[in-house]
Amino acid sequence: MSRMRPIRRTVPAVAAAMALLVLLGGCAMVTVESRGPDDYIAMTRGDVLSTGKLSQSGLETLRVAGIEPKICRPDGAICAQQLDKVEGVGAERRLATQSELWTAAAIALTGKRPEQMSDAALQAWLEAARHAYAYLFFSERSPGDRAFENRQTQVRDYYNYATQQVVTSLFARSRTADSQDGDSTRVGPWQVRADLSAYRLPGGSNEPQAVIAASTLRFDGLRSSYRRDGFGAELVAEVSPEAVGDPAGLALQEHADGPPRSRSGQPSFSEMPYAPATLLLKFQGASLAEVLQTQAVTMVPYDPYRQSEVVLHGQRVPLAGNFTAAYGLWLAQSGFAAQSLRSMLGRARGIDRAHLYLMQPYDPDRRILLMLHGLASSPEAWVNVANEIMGDEALRQHYQIWQVYYPTNAPIAFNRAEIQDLVERTLRHFDPQGSAMASRDMVLIGHSMGGVIGRLLVSSSGDAIWQSLLAEHLPRLQGERGERVRRKLEPMLHFEPLPQVDRAIFIAAPHRGTPRAEGGLGRFVGRLVRLPATLLERFGDALQELSGGQDEEGGNGSKFLPPTGIDNLRDTDPFVRAAADLPISPRVRYHTIVGHYDPSVPLAESDDGLVPYRSAHLDGAESERAVVSWHSVQETPQAILEIRRILHEQMRSDAGPPP
């Protein structure tokens, strides 16, 4: 019997044997690696909208359902439909993934121009919105139960973005005859109708001339964009300047379309021609099965200023809202910067009378913030002030902003009288009985020349200005001549405080004038300024009487012409000297914000580059804040914080002492 020889095993043989054992045993090799914070965000929040790829949750659902994710890349709709046939996947998980898959399919089908979006793309967006809607309101748990889940936030975004795409595309196509079927629009088998009962367009227009997605807008010149997270697509509705009676917009149209047109009969106030809207797509049905089978959907817009939540299928749902886009778009398209300079110089396509802009539809239950800009300026002066105030949730619920746009070439006395009349007529229009909160306790905010006008709006003149300016002319203005002059000029030179104002904020206001307006540059600019033609037309006869009964070419009498706005800012001007010490109404609480351009100079001796501290300071102010700044101090964060502090203080005062 021979002995067995030992078997020699080669390395390849061992490797082959190991491979065979692995295959026979069906073992999986598990490895592990560390992930960083960027991986965490990608895994928990990355999805088809943020990365262009399906989310981790979506991929997991497909794998559980036995669907290979790579087959979903060319056509997510196929996979979305396949999920309906898979058992063992919960409705909540399935609907969330189907909404994402339909979103991916819609993105692939959508072109660059909304008006050219195909019916197939629109139907995909409708399916994305429908499945997200079903997930939110008809799956096992309520939205409140999933409040902290990233997946619900993703699905809400699919709904909001799909709604945005549907609405902007349908509006772009709405003018075509073949897309309309009575009051609704047909998209393949879908019927989409609009319900405007909860929304009012600016000026009471019947329909907008444009609808813009707020998410597509980016602004330079605005420090912040303020929005509210929630349900619905954030849009901006635009109407024509004619619809709201906007003189600035009409002047731009005149420039583009031909010669100027008469503005007689137009209202002296208007809303912005741009308004925010939050739009929902509501799918017909009261159960999950009905919603997934319906092909009827209703578009419903809401005003985010007036409505912060809505009840859907028994759930209280917060509405999304964008409070910057409409305002920023209005300013960007207004042409105010050039127009305000034309107005000051008395050129064509400027403005010749004061106009009031309502930043939102009139609300009788909100206090009014009345804003007055300065020389050669416009509502653009308040761009960040208004935006920051409306971005503050508490202030937004308590206040509404009115901005006055006035010709700064006119005398301060003329603009003061015009603005007071304008505000009172507008309040009577909305609240004839004067019983609404909006008709009481108004807050006035004025910058520079607007601050001077604002102080006069809360002051009593007595006979001080009349005597100071016209005393030398009164002896020869007796009888009927004197009475004619008095009737014409008395509203400008005799006045009482605007009774609706109970608080005022004066910012860099030259209450006692400024020597800069008297210097060489000020004189040079002053020679370029022309009085508004409307002022000369209205007061020409009185001016002729003051000139001794002769026209400007006559040789008799002393020539009397009213000062321009820039004349009134000189510290030697008779009007500003007479008005400097007029008493402010005792019921008005007032504050000052001053610029301190060079901090090395003591405050009492300082200026803001244009206005000396001694001119901007007011005795008796409840507070005074000095900000290191040039004259445009109202745009600084420190000044805006001070304005917000004052407004919050007033809110607390309105609420009374805590219980």
Side-chain angles (χ1 to χ4, degrees):
M1 184 173 192
S2 61
R3 290 189 307 175
M4 295 182 63
R5 296 181 181 179
I7 299 173
R8 297 181 61 190
R9 295 178 175 85
T10 62
V11 172
V14 172
M18 293 294 292
L20 179 61
L21 288 174
V22 169
L23 291 173
L24 290 175
C27 295
M29 304 297 289
V30 177
T31 61
V32 64
E33 62 180 20
S34 297
R35 291 185 177 273
D38 53 339
D39 296 314
Y40 172 80
I41 296 298
M43 287 183 63
T44 57
R45 302 183 193 175
D47 66 352
V48 69
L49 286 180
S50 61
T51 67
K53 300 177 182 178
L54 291 181
S55 65
Q56 191 71 19
S57 295
L59 292 172
E60 289 172 356
T61 302
L62 291 174
R63 293 187 183 111
V64 168
I67 300 173
E68 181 57 43
K70 67 180 181 182
I71 71 170
C72 303
R73 292 174 187 165
D75 190 353
I78 293 177
C79 292
Q81 293 162 348
Q82 285 182 0
L83 276 174
D84 282 327
K85 304 172 185 177
V86 176
E87 296 182 2
V89 177
E92 187 174 292
R93 192 171 188 180
R94 172 172 53 81
L95 291 168
T97 302
Q98 286 176 317
S99 179
E100 185 173 11
L101 288 167
W102 278 113
T103 298
I107 291 172
L109 291 168
T110 299
K112 294 183 178 180
R113 301 185 63 182
E115 68 274 16
Q116 296 178 349
M117 188 184 295
S118 66
D119 276 8
L122 268 171
Q123 290 180 65
W125 286 120
L126 285 165
E127 290 288 0
R130 188 229 301 262
H131 284 82
Y133 193 85
Y135 163 89
L136 289 167
F137 303 112
F138 293 98
S139 55
E140 294 91 340
R141 295 183 294 165
S142 71
D145 295 333
R146 299 182 295 246
F148 291 100
E149 294 185 11
N150 287 325
R151 191 54 166 162
Q152 177 162 276
T153 301
Q154 290 172 331
V155 176
R156 181 209 62 188
D157 289 343
Y158 305 150
Y159 173 88
N160 290 356
Y161 192 70
T163 300
Q164 172 188 302
Q165 295 297 310
V166 170
V167 174
T168 54
S169 178
L170 286 181
F171 181 83
R173 299 168 61 179
S174 63
R175 304 294 193 271
T176 60
D178 60 349
S179 67
Q180 299 296 312
D181 181 12
D183 294 331
S184 64
T185 301
R186 181 174 291 278
V187 181
W190 288 85
Q191 285 284 350
V192 186
R193 60 178 293 269
D195 177 6
L196 302 179
S197 60
Y199 188 76
R200 175 188 171 277
L201 284 165
S205 299
N206 294 324
E207 63 178 274
Q209 67 177 18
V211 172
I212 305 103
S215 64
T216 64
L217 302 174
R218 196 186 80 176
F219 300 101
D220 290 328
L222 278 167
R223 277 198 296 268
S224 305
S225 288
Y226 287 100
R227 53 177 303 279
R228 180 176 62 216
D229 271 341
F231 194 55
E234 300 161 29
L235 304 171
V236 177
E238 177 189 358
V239 301
S240 66
E242 290 90 344
V244 294
D246 176 8
L250 288 171
L252 288 176
Q253 285 191 350
E254 290 163 4
H255 177 56
D257 301 339
R261 292 167 285 181
S262 171
R263 301 195 188 103
S264 60
Q266 287 181 359
S268 51
F269 66 89
S270 66
E271 298 172 46
M272 291 191 309
Y274 298 88
T278 300
L279 204 133
L280 304 185
L281 290 178
K282 294 184 178 180
F283 293 86
Q284 187 173 302
S287 68
L288 177 60
E290 290 176 357
V291 169
L292 292 179
Q293 291 171 6
T294 189
Q295 291 177 322
V297 60
T298 304
M299 298 186 297
V300 186
Y302 296 91
D303 182 347
Y305 278 113
R306 293 177 178 270
Q307 199 155 353
S308 60
E309 61 183 18
V310 65
V311 176
L312 293 172
H313 307 287
Q315 303 292 319
R316 192 174 297 276
V317 181
L319 283 175
N322 192 305
F323 304 100
T324 294
Y327 180 54
L329 194 56
W330 174 56
L331 292 178
Q333 303 292 340
S334 67
F336 280 142
Q339 189 182 57
S340 59
L341 287 174
R342 290 198 300 268
S343 299
M344 187 184 73
L345 300 176
R347 303 288 178 82
R349 297 188 302 278
I351 60 167
D352 53 15
R353 66 196 68 197
H355 187 83
L356 194 60
Y357 284 106
L358 280 61
M359 298 294 97
Q360 64 187 82
Y362 171 78
D363 189 329
D365 299 323
R366 285 180 166 94
R367 277 178 175 261
I368 293 169
L369 297 181
L370 185 68
M371 295 183 171
L372 306 176
H373 61 77
L375 180 71
S377 191
S378 71
E380 277 192 307
W382 302 111
V383 52
N384 282 304
V385 180
N387 186 47
E388 297 284 338
I389 290 173
M390 290 298 98
D392 184 314
E393 178 70 24
L395 296 182
R396 184 168 64 243
Q397 296 301 321
H398 200 72
Y399 296 97
Q400 57 189 317
I401 294 178
W402 289 12
Q403 293 191 11
V404 177
Y405 186 27
Y406 65 96
T408 57
N409 54 336
I412 284 176
F414 174 78
N415 275 323
R416 190 218 63 81
E418 289 283 292
I419 291 169
Q420 177 160 354
D421 180 63
L422 171 64
V423 172
E424 291 181 329
R425 281 189 291 114
T426 304
L427 287 172
R428 285 195 300 270
H429 170 84
F430 288 113
D431 181 26
Q433 305 303 319
S435 57
M437 176 184 286
S439 296
R440 308 186 306 273
D441 304 329
M442 184 183 297
V443 180
L444 188 152
I445 306 177
H447 171 250
S448 192
M449 177 189 282
V452 176
I453 295 173
R455 188 180 68 82
L456 297 179
L457 283 169
V458 296
S459 300
S460 299
S461 68
D463 287 328
I465 297 179
W466 181 274
Q467 292 292 336
S468 180
L469 296 184
L470 298 180
E472 62 178 288
H473 300 275
L474 293 177
R476 58 183 175 78
L477 292 178
Q478 300 299 323
E480 186 178 343
R481 290 177 62 203
E483 186 60 27
R484 284 200 303 269
V485 171
R486 182 176 291 274
R487 281 198 305 268
K488 281 280 188 179
L489 300 183
E490 192 162 36
M492 290 195 298
L493 304 181
H494 279 109
F495 48 84
E496 293 299 324
L498 188 62
Q500 293 83 3
V501 177
D502 77 336
R503 192 178 293 265
I505 305 172
F506 307 117
I507 307 172
H511 301 293
R512 300 180 182 279
T514 171
R516 296 297 179 92
E518 187 73 31
L521 181 60
R523 291 285 182 181
F524 173 75
V525 174
R527 287 194 292 269
L528 301 177
V529 175
R530 297 291 180 269
L531 290 166
T534 52
L535 182 141
L536 297 175
E537 291 168 4
R538 286 177 55 186
F539 299 100
D541 53 347
L543 298 178
Q544 188 172 342
E545 296 285 2
L546 291 172
S547 298
Q550 301 291 328
D551 59 26
E552 293 185 27
E553 301 298 327
N556 299 324
S558 58
K559 183 177 178 180
F560 185 92
L561 285 176
T564 64
I566 195 169
D567 291 334
N568 282 153
L569 296 182
R570 295 176 178 139
D571 56 3
T572 58
D573 179 69
F575 175 83
V576 79
R577 286 190 165 195
D581 295 316
L582 294 180
I584 294 176
S585 168
R587 74 177 295 270
V588 175
R589 305 165 74 176
Y590 56 95
H591 311 256
T592 59
I593 301 175
V594 301
H596 190 182
Y597 186 57
D598 185 353
S600 66
V601 177
L603 181 62
E605 302 169 16
S606 70
D607 59 38
D608 61 17
L610 290 179
V611 177
Y613 169 80
R614 57 178 171 76
S615 185
H617 170 79
L618 284 177
D619 291 334
E622 278 206 355
S623 66
E624 180 179 85
R625 174 70 188 272
V627 177
V628 177
S629 171
W630 168 253
H631 182 60
S632 296
V633 62
Q634 87 282 4
E635 285 293 277
T636 64
Q638 294 83 359
I640 294 173
L641 285 171
E642 175 68 0
I643 293 170
R644 290 173 61 184
R645 181 195 68 79
I646 293 168
L647 296 179
H648 276 283
E649 179 182 289
Q650 184 175 51
M651 283 177 54
R652 289 190 292 272
S653 176
D654 290 346

